[in-house]
Amino acid sequence: MAPLAGERLSLRQILVTWVTLYVALIEAVDRSNFKTCEQSSFCKRQRSVKPEHSPYRALLNSLEVTEKSIKLQLINEVNKVPLLLEVYGLQGNMTRIKINELIPLKPRFEVPDVLIQDPPTVPLTVIGKDESSLELGLGRDQYKLIVTSKPFRMDITTGNELLLSINSRGLMVFEHLRKRKDSEKKDETAESEEVKTEQEPGDGDGGADSLEKPEDTDAQKESEEVEDEAGMWDETFKSHADSKPNGPSSVGLDFSLPGFEHVYGIPEHADSLKLKTTEGGDPYRLYNLDVFQYEIANPMALYGSVPVMLAHNARRTLGMFWLNAAETWVDISSNTAGKTLFGKMLDYVQGANEIPQTDVRWMSESGIIDVFVMLGPSPFDVFKQYASLTGTQALPPLFSIAYHQSRWNYNDESDVQAVDDGFDQHDIPYDVIWLDIEHTDGKRYFTWDPNKFPSPKDMLQNLASKKRKMVSIVDPHIKIDSGYKIHTAVQSKNLYVKTKDGSDYEGWCWPGSAGYPDFTNPEMRSWWASMFAYDQYEGSMENLYTWNDMNEPSVFNGPEVTMHKDTVHMDGWEHRDVHNLYAFYVQMATAEGQIQRSGGTERPFVLTRGFFSGSQRFGAVWTGDNSAEWDHLKISLPMCLSMGLTAISFCGADVGGFFKHPSTELLVRWYQAGAYQPFFRAHAHLDTPRREPWLFGDDNKLLIRAAIRQRYALLPFWYTAFYHAHRTGAPVMR
């Protein structure tokens, strides 16, 4: 590879330059770069499932009761594949439901590291059982879980009230791991040929006739039809092929919420706070993606994914946490309770035909079904319950909740000095100035451009003398360059993500040809953290903090601008299994690096674009590449409110909009709104005119200064709100 590296790199740099110019010119997201449900084969398959044909039955006689859980086998009566249902009663009024294959062909991925502990359990008790159902007491006497055998469903009740039903519409899907039919047939053909060579026709009991297979039953035919559906064993999107070596492996489950008309959560989407029904359109998608200049008011995936939904009415709040890191789609529909009730469950809902109901359906490409039901009953109870599972918002250092000044890019040390002096001259408070990718030596992270930033310590010392900080960008794509120590170290330690063939995966991003460290590997995270030590990150000081961008991960020449799903991580897991965890691990490792460099005495500050459940433990999030438009200012409010409902309180939007140039009125209004969002940073694209607060005339400067000063006047209040978020999980922005 080395002899050709210079030639290959120059060609790729040309392409990346073209991509960069193209991105700067586009007016809106190119939707054709991103899949719809119809183009995502597992989503299409699951949406085609008809509720009247649910094949799952609970084998009540297989019941096993332990101190921590109850276990029960389920059977798919079409393909006869057995599943294992585990139900856990958890402290704090929660229930955990896991469904996996009883005997999988190989282990299925279960999400690690997101839960802060193995959730403490409370004993479950069997309080009733007959041929068709099983009743369990969920810790507290008033809560019951009723398991119905055929078709399999579960209902959670309190007193005479039905709170939530599971698989009530019969839409559960669990695609078992299997060998491909054509490979099995090849094996059978080979075996048959061996038999024929050993045995003359007519010899034995039946001769060649004894090799004929019995006629298929209808159930077998139905099962085989499903096996042969397009997209199960390989899939193509645009020019990208996905080899799918494990075949179909998706899971899905539906939930019914009688009495609830309002559901919230599942960020990140540029949409209203109350989630909309998805009937007649695409489901909400959770799949971390680099989306240029995203549109608003649609369910497209964005940079982060938190698979948590809250249902709320005047009497009660419930929560669902779908612990799965693969590509996930969420359907929401309106219904009436009577349409999903039958038998004894009708006793729990009076006037069911008139009671509104919201139905929710989760669909994920791989992994297992692992869902936590948080029973509230108040919103703050649900916040506390979810925080007990994934942790609370990290308590930020005080400077980080003040005002931040950024753009792509401040040009050099003298530019930084001029901007810093400008805030003093115009008497505008600020705490942090930011450097984007152009500060590096050729997009080599952990370095400085030797011409533009030759004396980073002097620059940082000047800021420190005024008690100010700097944030520099450190992205997770690593320039492939034999002279770059970060690349050579990751390569020599064999810590890059691999292709399906076992070589180091390469993609294109800002540096040109880049490798992608495998942050799912604890060894990689530990090494990455060590690179933030002052003697490793040359030119760094204690007032330099970090911004992790492009960590979805972004791959300019990859499918949907991200990593191929059949790439391979530690222990052989495919990227499809871990995709939504990648950014979570990058931020985790970066935050740990800042903690270690100070000997554990200082709190970190790390901003991330990609995120997952639990990312709140490591720092802040922003809403990505927005635009200088009134609608984008407006949508920043529900976007951050949604994140706060799912424990990520440290959220903000680029003040003024990243793309395009705001009118003076829009910029002033955005400062006035941004001063009341938890993360308060002005940021702008490389091609936009400069936007420092004093460049818009004295009258507007005074309005912007007043907004920023309001923020500073309220810092004790903000800090107290963050303290409560850190202790209880309650959102800062409400």
Side-chain angles (χ1 to χ4, degrees):
M1 182 176 178
L4 297 175
E7 180 182 349
R8 293 175 61 205
L9 192 58
S10 64
L11 292 173
R12 290 179 176 182
Q13 282 179 316
I14 291 169
L15 178 58
V16 171
T17 301
W18 179 87
V19 170
T20 305
L21 290 171
Y22 170 74
V23 169
L25 292 172
I26 59 173
E27 287 300 312
V29 63
D30 182 354
R31 289 196 186 193
S32 70
N33 283 332
F34 305 102
K35 287 183 180 180
T36 63
C37 178
E38 186 73 14
Q39 294 169 313
S40 180
S41 65
F42 83 91
C43 184
K44 182 179 179 180
R45 284 198 305 276
Q46 292 215 24
R47 265 195 159 182
S48 70
V49 171
K50 305 303 180 188
E52 61 268 22
H53 294 139
S54 178
Y56 296 98
R57 175 166 62 94
L59 305 178
L60 300 183
N61 289 335
S62 67
L63 176 67
E64 178 185 345
V65 181
T66 69
E67 284 187 5
K68 291 189 174 182
S69 68
I70 68 104
K71 297 180 180 180
L72 201 64
Q73 289 184 32
L74 310 178
I75 190 77
N76 182 322
E77 296 195 300
V78 171
N79 58 32
K80 307 305 179 186
V81 173
L83 305 175
L84 178 64
L85 165 69
E86 297 175 88
V87 180
Y88 300 81
L90 303 181
Q91 290 180 14
N93 209 17
M94 295 179 287
T95 302
R96 185 180 193 179
I97 297 161
K98 295 179 72 173
I99 302 176
N100 198 351
E101 293 184 56
L102 182 65
I103 310 172
L105 188 65
K106 59 190 291 188
R108 298 179 68 113
F109 187 72
E110 299 187 39
V111 175
D113 301 316
V114 167
L115 302 179
I116 58 174
Q117 62 178 343
D118 191 13
T121 59
V122 294
L124 298 174
T125 54
V126 178
I127 56 178
K129 186 173 182 287
D130 58 30
E131 292 181 354
S132 62
S133 65
L134 171 70
E135 293 190 12
L136 303 170
L138 295 176
R140 294 184 178 184
D141 293 339
Q142 71 265 37
Y143 290 98
K144 289 194 301 186
L145 175 66
I146 301 170
V147 181
T148 302
S149 173
K150 185 175 181 179
F152 165 66
R153 71 178 275 164
M154 292 184 286
D155 298 272
I156 296 178
T157 68
T158 179
N160 292 320
E161 180 186 2
L162 175 63
L163 299 179
L164 172 140
S165 300
I166 301 166
N167 202 37
S168 53
R169 293 183 293 152
L171 298 175
M172 175 176 155
V173 170
F174 203 107
E175 293 181 328
H176 65 286
L177 299 179
R178 68 204 85 173
K179 293 183 179 179
R180 193 168 188 174
K181 283 290 183 181
D182 55 8
S183 66
E184 289 181 352
K185 288 176 182 176
K186 288 177 184 176
D187 293 341
E188 291 170 3
T189 301
E191 290 172 6
S192 299
E193 292 300 326
E194 288 176 13
V195 171
K196 287 179 182 179
T197 58
E198 294 171 3
Q199 181 174 294
E200 291 296 323
D203 286 353
D205 294 334
D209 293 339
S210 66
L211 298 175
E212 293 181 4
K213 292 184 179 180
E215 187 173 335
D216 288 342
T217 64
D218 289 341
Q220 287 171 326
K221 287 179 181 177
E222 183 180 346
S223 177
E224 287 187 10
E225 286 170 6
V226 172
E227 301 258 356
D228 295 334
E229 190 171 317
M232 282 185 160
W233 296 94
D234 53 67
E235 189 170 359
T236 302
F237 179 66
K238 302 184 82 168
S239 62
H240 302 285
D242 178 4
S243 63
K244 293 196 171 180
N246 294 319
S249 58
S250 75
V251 297
L253 194 59
D254 66 277
F255 297 77
S256 293
L257 301 160
F260 290 93
E261 296 180 85
H262 306 278
V263 289
Y264 308 87
I266 57 169
E268 182 180 29
H269 300 97
D271 209 349
S272 57
L273 182 61
K274 177 190 172 184
L275 298 171
K276 300 169 183 172
T277 61
T278 57
E279 297 158 302
D282 258 7
Y284 284 96
R285 192 182 187 200
L286 295 172
Y287 189 60
N288 294 2
L289 293 172
D290 179 0
V291 183
F292 299 122
Q293 203 164 344
Y294 54 82
E295 295 179 6
I296 63 172
N298 70 55
M300 288 177 65
L302 289 178
Y303 312 98
S305 301
V306 183
V308 174
M309 183 181 291
L310 283 73
H312 177 71
N313 62 26
R315 296 176 54 246
R316 177 179 288 273
T317 304
L318 299 175
M320 291 175 280
F321 172 28
W322 178 265
L323 183 52
N324 190 300
E327 177 187 352
T328 297
W329 299 79
V330 186
D331 256 328
I332 300 169
S333 56
S334 297
N335 206 344
T336 55
K339 293 182 180 178
T340 56
L341 296 174
F342 60 88
K344 68 172 69 174
M345 297 316 303
L346 287 167
D347 297 336
Y348 289 91
V349 182
Q350 302 301 315
N353 290 330
E354 305 298 326
I355 291 179
Q357 174 172 290
T358 296
D359 293 328
V360 179
R361 181 184 191 180
W362 301 82
M363 300 170 281
S364 294
E365 187 176 14
S366 64
I368 68 168
I369 293 173
D370 189 359
V371 60
F372 295 80
V373 179
M374 299 168 284
L375 295 173
S378 76
F380 286 88
D381 290 327
V382 174
F383 300 149
K384 186 175 182 179
Q385 288 157 358
Y386 179 61
S388 75
L389 299 172
T390 67
T392 60
Q393 177 66 58
L395 183 62
L398 182 60
F399 77 83
S400 66
I401 60 174
Y403 175 63
H404 301 247
Q405 182 68 35
S406 180
R407 73 173 281 108
W408 175 23
N409 203 90
Y410 286 118
N411 299 322
D412 50 32
E413 289 177 2
S414 62
D415 195 9
V416 170
Q417 179 75 57
V419 172
D420 181 65
D421 290 343
F423 278 90
D424 295 333
Q425 292 164 11
H426 295 279
D427 200 19
I428 301 172
Y430 95 109
D431 267 61
V432 193
I433 191 165
W434 291 55
L435 294 180
D436 210 318
I437 55 177
E438 310 304 331
H439 85 278
T440 62
D441 182 8
K443 313 302 188 297
R444 297 169 181 87
Y445 304 108
F446 298 99
T447 71
W448 306 83
D449 184 304
N451 297 313
K452 297 177 180 178
F453 294 91
S455 306
K457 281 195 173 181
D458 291 342
M459 175 179 62
L460 289 166
Q461 187 59 55
N462 180 63
L463 292 169
S465 69
K466 303 177 185 180
K467 297 185 177 180
R468 288 172 179 159
K469 325 293 181 186
M470 174 173 278
V471 170
S472 63
I473 197 164
V474 179
D475 289 348
H477 50 260
I478 303 302
K479 184 182 181 73
I480 294 176
D481 173 3
S482 60
Y484 177 30
K485 74 170 187 178
I486 301 296
H487 164 66
T488 56
V490 177
Q491 186 180 57
S492 67
K493 294 174 182 291
N494 199 31
L495 292 175
Y496 277 126
V497 175
K498 306 300 180 188
T499 67
K500 65 181 188 295
D501 301 318
S503 59
D504 287 350
Y505 176 79
E506 288 185 30
W508 297 333
C509 208
W510 297 127
S513 188
Y516 289 77
D518 183 5
F519 285 92
T520 69
N521 188 330
E523 183 184 349
M524 178 61 223
R525 298 197 300 272
S526 177
W527 179 84
W528 182 266
S530 73
M531 289 299 99
F532 289 90
Y534 300 125
D535 61 349
Q536 294 293 331
Y537 189 169
E538 188 176 346
S540 67
M541 290 177 53
E542 60 274 6
N543 64 329
L544 181 67
Y545 295 86
T546 312
W547 173 16
N548 293 149
D549 196 5
M550 316 297 284
N551 57 350
E552 295 76 22
S554 178
V555 183
F556 289 162
N557 63 329
E560 302 193 88
V561 202
T562 193
M563 191 174 285
H564 293 72
K565 288 181 175 179
D566 56 5
T567 56
V568 181
H569 292 259
M570 184 185 70
D571 295 334
W573 295 113
E574 285 189 283
H575 186 71
R576 85 181 71 250
D577 300 312
V578 305
H579 175 84
N580 286 344
L581 286 173
Y582 192 85
F584 166 88
Y585 280 130
V586 173
Q587 191 187 20
M588 172 195 284
T590 303
E592 181 59 31
Q594 290 186 11
I595 293 169
Q596 288 180 10
R597 75 178 187 181
S598 71
T601 62
E602 293 188 8
R603 280 173 270 162
F605 173 73
V606 182
L607 179 73
T608 181
R609 190 169 71 175
F611 54 88
F612 189 67
S613 293
S615 290
Q616 66 270 12
R617 306 198 301 264
F618 310 121
V621 167
W622 94 106
T623 61
D625 296 343
N626 60 0
S627 296
E629 299 172 3
W630 288 98
D631 285 345
H632 276 259
L633 166 57
K634 182 178 180 180
I635 206 68
S636 70
L637 303 173
M639 289 180 77
C640 280
L641 286 167
S642 292
M643 289 191 211
L645 291 176
T646 58
I648 299 178
S649 270
F650 205 176
C651 170
D654 287 345
V655 169
F658 179 68
F659 287 108
K660 304 181 181 179
H661 185 51
S663 68
T664 301
E665 182 184 4
L666 175 56
L667 183 65
V668 170
R669 292 300 191 191
W670 211 315
Y671 268 100
Q672 291 169 338
Y676 288 92
Q677 293 182 2
F679 177 57
F680 186 23
R681 180 186 74 155
H683 186 53
H685 189 276
L686 184 72
D687 294 332
T688 61
R690 297 289 286 252
R691 293 190 200 160
E692 285 74 44
W694 51 87
L695 298 178
F696 301 90
D698 285 345
D699 289 346
N700 292 305
K701 179 188 77 173
L702 293 175
L703 291 170
I704 293 171
R705 183 170 69 184
I708 295 174
R709 284 180 171 181
Q710 261 184 354
R711 173 62 167 232
Y712 276 81
L714 290 170
L715 278 182
F717 181 81
W718 279 104
Y719 202 46
T720 302
F722 269 103
Y723 174 78
H724 286 296
H726 176 62
R727 291 299 301 269
T728 69
V732 169
M733 186 176 176
R734 304 179 191 173

PDB file of all heavy atoms in Angstrom, residues 59 104 278 284 303 386 392 602:
ATOM      1  N   LEU A  59     -45.712 -20.687  25.448  1.00  0.00           N
ATOM      2  CA  LEU A  59     -45.826 -22.034  26.008  1.00  0.00           C
ATOM      3  C   LEU A  59     -45.852 -21.903  27.530  1.00  0.00           C
ATOM      4  O   LEU A  59     -44.810 -21.887  28.189  1.00  0.00           O
ATOM      5  CB  LEU A  59     -44.647 -22.893  25.541  1.00  0.00           C
ATOM      6  CG  LEU A  59     -44.445 -22.980  24.017  1.00  0.00           C
ATOM      7  CD1 LEU A  59     -43.217 -23.833  23.684  1.00  0.00           C
ATOM      8  CD2 LEU A  59     -45.693 -23.520  23.341  1.00  0.00           C
ATOM      9  N   PRO A 104     -29.881 -19.781  19.373  1.00  0.00           N
ATOM     10  CA  PRO A 104     -29.502 -19.091  18.135  1.00  0.00           C
ATOM     11  C   PRO A 104     -28.364 -19.814  17.415  1.00  0.00           C
ATOM     12  O   PRO A 104     -27.544 -20.495  18.045  1.00  0.00           O
ATOM     13  CB  PRO A 104     -29.069 -17.706  18.612  1.00  0.00           C
ATOM     14  CG  PRO A 104     -28.662 -17.910  20.036  1.00  0.00           C
ATOM     15  CD  PRO A 104     -29.528 -19.010  20.576  1.00  0.00           C
ATOM     16  N   THR A 278     -47.657   8.284  11.686  1.00  0.00           N
ATOM     17  CA  THR A 278     -46.862   7.996  10.486  1.00  0.00           C
ATOM     18  C   THR A 278     -47.669   7.239   9.438  1.00  0.00           C
ATOM     19  O   THR A 278     -47.099   6.767   8.448  1.00  0.00           O
ATOM     20  CB  THR A 278     -45.618   7.177  10.865  1.00  0.00           C
ATOM     21  OG1 THR A 278     -46.028   5.971  11.526  1.00  0.00           O
ATOM     22  CG2 THR A 278     -44.714   7.977  11.789  1.00  0.00           C
ATOM     23  N   TYR A 284     -40.793   7.234  11.761  1.00  0.00           N
ATOM     24  CA  TYR A 284     -39.625   7.944  12.285  1.00  0.00           C
ATOM     25  C   TYR A 284     -38.437   6.985  12.237  1.00  0.00           C
ATOM     26  O   TYR A 284     -38.553   5.805  12.563  1.00  0.00           O
ATOM     27  CB  TYR A 284     -39.860   8.394  13.727  1.00  0.00           C
ATOM     28  CG  TYR A 284     -40.774   9.590  13.852  1.00  0.00           C
ATOM     29  CD1 TYR A 284     -42.138   9.428  14.104  1.00  0.00           C
ATOM     30  CD2 TYR A 284     -40.282  10.882  13.736  1.00  0.00           C
ATOM     31  CE1 TYR A 284     -42.981  10.525  14.232  1.00  0.00           C
ATOM     32  CE2 TYR A 284     -41.113  11.985  13.864  1.00  0.00           C
ATOM     33  CZ  TYR A 284     -42.465  11.799  14.110  1.00  0.00           C
ATOM     34  OH  TYR A 284     -43.287  12.889  14.229  1.00  0.00           O
ATOM     35  N   TYR A 303     -28.537  13.148  13.217  1.00  0.00           N
ATOM     36  CA  TYR A 303     -27.205  12.792  13.690  1.00  0.00           C
ATOM     37  C   TYR A 303     -27.204  11.836  14.877  1.00  0.00           C
ATOM     38  O   TYR A 303     -26.224  11.126  15.089  1.00  0.00           O
ATOM     39  CB  TYR A 303     -26.443  14.060  14.072  1.00  0.00           C
ATOM     40  CG  TYR A 303     -26.532  15.137  13.021  1.00  0.00           C
ATOM     41  CD1 TYR A 303     -27.463  16.177  13.135  1.00  0.00           C
ATOM     42  CD2 TYR A 303     -25.710  15.123  11.912  1.00  0.00           C
ATOM     43  CE1 TYR A 303     -27.556  17.166  12.174  1.00  0.00           C
ATOM     44  CE2 TYR A 303     -25.800  16.111  10.939  1.00  0.00           C
ATOM     45  CZ  TYR A 303     -26.729  17.125  11.069  1.00  0.00           C
ATOM     46  OH  TYR A 303     -26.837  18.095  10.108  1.00  0.00           O
ATOM     47  N   TYR A 386     -35.730   6.561  33.908  1.00  0.00           N
ATOM     48  CA  TYR A 386     -34.805   6.424  32.785  1.00  0.00           C
ATOM     49  C   TYR A 386     -33.375   6.764  33.210  1.00  0.00           C
ATOM     50  O   TYR A 386     -32.417   6.091  32.808  1.00  0.00           O
ATOM     51  CB  TYR A 386     -35.255   7.318  31.627  1.00  0.00           C
ATOM     52  CG  TYR A 386     -34.332   7.264  30.433  1.00  0.00           C
ATOM     53  CD1 TYR A 386     -34.110   6.070  29.754  1.00  0.00           C
ATOM     54  CD2 TYR A 386     -33.666   8.404  29.998  1.00  0.00           C
ATOM     55  CE1 TYR A 386     -33.243   6.014  28.665  1.00  0.00           C
ATOM     56  CE2 TYR A 386     -32.811   8.361  28.908  1.00  0.00           C
ATOM     57  CZ  TYR A 386     -32.599   7.166  28.247  1.00  0.00           C
ATOM     58  OH  TYR A 386     -31.742   7.114  27.175  1.00  0.00           O
ATOM     59  N   THR A 392     -27.512  10.241  34.405  1.00  0.00           N
ATOM     60  CA  THR A 392     -28.018  11.607  34.293  1.00  0.00           C
ATOM     61  C   THR A 392     -27.052  12.468  33.483  1.00  0.00           C
ATOM     62  O   THR A 392     -25.945  12.047  33.139  1.00  0.00           O
ATOM     63  CB  THR A 392     -28.185  12.237  35.683  1.00  0.00           C
ATOM     64  OG1 THR A 392     -26.904  12.249  36.337  1.00  0.00           O
ATOM     65  CG2 THR A 392     -29.191  11.472  36.526  1.00  0.00           C
ATOM     66  N   GLU A 602     -10.675  17.517  37.199  1.00  0.00           N
ATOM     67  CA  GLU A 602     -11.478  18.498  36.477  1.00  0.00           C
ATOM     68  C   GLU A 602     -12.561  17.817  35.655  1.00  0.00           C
ATOM     69  O   GLU A 602     -12.357  16.739  35.089  1.00  0.00           O
ATOM     70  CB  GLU A 602     -10.585  19.341  35.552  1.00  0.00           C
ATOM     71  CG  GLU A 602      -9.635  20.235  36.307  1.00  0.00           C
ATOM     72  CD  GLU A 602      -8.889  21.195  35.379  1.00  0.00           C
ATOM     73  OE1 GLU A 602      -9.235  21.246  34.185  1.00  0.00           O
ATOM     74  OE2 GLU A 602      -7.970  21.883  35.866  1.00  0.00           O
TER      75      GLU A 602
END
